[in-house]
Amino acid sequence: MLAVLPVATARAEVQPPRQPPPGMSVVGGARLGQPGVQVDPAGATALPELSALAWMISDIDTGDVLAAKNAHWPLPPASTLKTLFAAAELPRQAPDTVHKVTAAELTGLGAGSSLVGIQAGQSYKVSDLWLGVLLRSGNDAVRTLAMMNGGVPAAVTAMQTLADTLGAQDTRVVSPDGYDAPGQVSSAYDLTLILRSALANPDFTRYAATKVAQFPGGRDAKGAPVPSFQIQNGNRLLAGTDGVTRYPGLIAGKSGYTAQAGNTLVTAAARDGHTLVATVLNPQSGKSNAVYDETGKLLDWGFAARARAAPVGSLVHAPTTTPGHDDPDPDPVQQAPEHPALAGARLAARWGALLALPLAGLVVLTLRQWRRQQARRRRRARVAAFLRRD
């Protein structure tokens, strides 16, 4: 049995401009702030044809941005913003915590919101609520979890704080579920940083990698019993549904759609010991499943070009712990690799007074290579564990 969704109310929508603004952010490198496609033309095969307003393909093990188009263009993110909600809110409740939903917790949902089918008066495990968020993109599940953790304004504040901590400077959070709201934007660059942070939490990866799950039933408004029902992952590249072939090695991600944002997708896949993240925002081709087709092509290109193409920028490093959730003894597997620029600067400052410049440079390069190898081993072990589940 599937949840019955309300019909979207017809309304005039303000579409995003079709040209990137001047003076975009240069976080991660000057080329990423330039409009249009940025790629090393000498080091890789030609890019596939992509119609998205903005996109980016990155190796999150090395931090290299392999290619991008309008990486810092602030655009409506739709439900890809739920990755930020998960990164900020997942640590707050144990998965087996049981919560009874009230009618007040389900008020204020936007017209036409995607719903998983939560019913007031029913009790749900936190793990079920997160499956409702990350598989069915249920705004009712987002609202319930937000209310459990202090309310919607508190969730928005936590999400914005985490975005700022991660270096996601293009992101402005207004609604925790990604529903269209004035001023709510993110970028291909920021959504990549956010997914990298979310993937550091094994619970996120486990939920977002789930293809199908049984969602609890209960009783309807008349008291009649409602059986549990199946929910399916909305990321068609992972689920292999609706005419889209499942992408090999796909780990996790999040899709989205609103009238203002168009189709959006941020997703991670692993191959040959490397994890790439492709972010695609608002394809313009008008083709069915364009966001999945373009993401798949971008991942194919990235895996083929990774060892040959010179990067056009880099992912900034940021702590992986959520603000306000101290972890005195974090699992080293969950630590993101340090950004090479920060590592090199700190090491040069530490040794500058003691070593000659050539020796300092050698130490920096050696340490950087060691850290990258360690990050790859940790990532490879986690990815292998998830791939064995298929």
Side-chain angles (χ1 to χ4, degrees):
M1 176 177 177
L2 296 176
V4 178
L5 307 184
V7 177
T9 303
R11 57 177 180 165
E13 298 288 354
V14 178
Q15 295 296 324
R18 286 305 186 264
Q19 296 295 327
M24 290 186 292
S25 169
V26 294
V27 171
R31 291 189 65 178
L32 298 181
Q34 298 176 12
V37 174
Q38 306 299 320
V39 67
D40 171 24
T45 58
L47 282 163
E49 183 178 348
L50 303 170
S51 69
L53 294 182
W55 53 260
M56 196 168 84
I57 180 74
S58 308
D59 185 329
I60 62 172
D61 296 309
T62 65
D64 292 338
V65 178
L66 304 178
K69 176 185 177 183
N70 301 326
H72 282 293
W73 187 357
L75 291 167
S79 286
T80 56
L81 198 65
K82 288 181 172 74
T83 57
L84 180 58
F85 177 72
E89 298 292 301
L90 259 171
R92 294 180 181 266
Q93 299 283 347
D96 58 354
T97 298
V98 177
H99 176 73
K100 186 175 183 178
V101 178
T102 67
E105 291 173 338
L106 300 177
T107 59
L109 292 169
S113 285
S114 56
L115 306 174
V116 68
I118 290 175
Q119 301 176 56
Q122 303 305 316
S123 295
Y124 300 89
K125 287 185 178 180
V126 164
S127 58
D128 290 324
L129 294 174
W130 279 115
L131 287 169
V133 170
L134 295 172
L135 272 67
R136 189 62 184 84
S137 205
N139 290 358
D140 48 353
V142 171
R143 183 59 59 106
T144 300
L145 286 162
M147 296 300 287
M148 289 175 64
N149 296 329
V152 170
V156 168
T157 298
M159 292 167 69
Q160 188 65 63
T161 299
L162 179 57
D164 295 341
T165 301
L166 295 175
Q169 297 181 7
D170 305 319
T171 299
R172 296 294 176 268
V173 183
V174 179
S175 171
D177 50 27
Y179 188 84
D180 287 336
Q184 180 155 274
V185 292
S186 192
S187 66
Y189 186 89
D190 283 13
L191 289 168
T192 301
L193 295 180
I194 291 165
L195 181 59
R196 181 181 67 174
S197 175
L199 288 171
N201 187 324
D203 285 338
F204 172 86
T205 309
R206 176 165 54 87
Y207 295 138
T210 301
K211 299 175 189 177
V212 294
Q214 284 295 119
F215 198 78
R219 293 187 178 277
D220 62 19
K222 297 181 179 180
V226 176
S228 65
F229 53 91
Q230 187 181 90
I231 57 175
Q232 191 171 68
N233 200 310
N235 182 352
R236 296 175 189 175
L237 273 183
L238 187 143
T241 55
D242 297 317
V244 177
T245 301
R246 176 176 166 82
Y247 192 85
L250 200 95
I251 301 171
K254 187 72 188 73
S255 60
Y257 173 81
T258 65
Q260 291 185 25
N263 289 108
T264 60
L265 179 63
V266 56
T267 197
R271 187 183 301 170
D272 299 328
H274 284 264
T275 303
L276 303 190
V277 168
T279 304
V280 174
L281 302 180
N282 204 344
Q284 300 293 292
S285 69
K287 297 178 180 178
S288 177
N289 289 322
V291 73
Y292 301 103
D293 178 63
E294 295 188 15
T295 297
K297 289 179 178 178
L298 196 53
L299 286 168
D300 285 343
W301 180 90
F303 283 118
R306 182 193 57 76
R308 300 193 301 270
V312 298
S314 60
L315 302 175
V316 295
H317 169 76
T320 58
T321 53
T322 306
H325 298 85
D326 296 333
D327 185 358
D329 186 23
D331 182 351
V333 171
Q334 299 183 30
Q335 301 304 302
E338 185 169 29
H339 187 258
L342 297 181
R346 180 164 55 256
L347 194 61
R350 181 181 300 172
W351 290 93
L354 301 175
L355 299 175
L357 184 58
L359 181 57
L362 178 61
V363 171
V364 170
L365 291 174
T366 302
L367 182 58
R368 184 182 302 170
Q369 183 63 25
W370 179 83
R371 284 177 171 168
R372 285 183 174 181
Q373 291 173 349
Q374 293 297 104
R376 289 170 187 168
R377 291 192 186 101
R378 292 193 295 266
R379 184 84 59 182
R380 189 179 301 118
R382 184 164 65 247
V383 170
F386 277 95
L387 292 179
R388 284 196 297 269
R389 296 173 65 244
D390 292 339

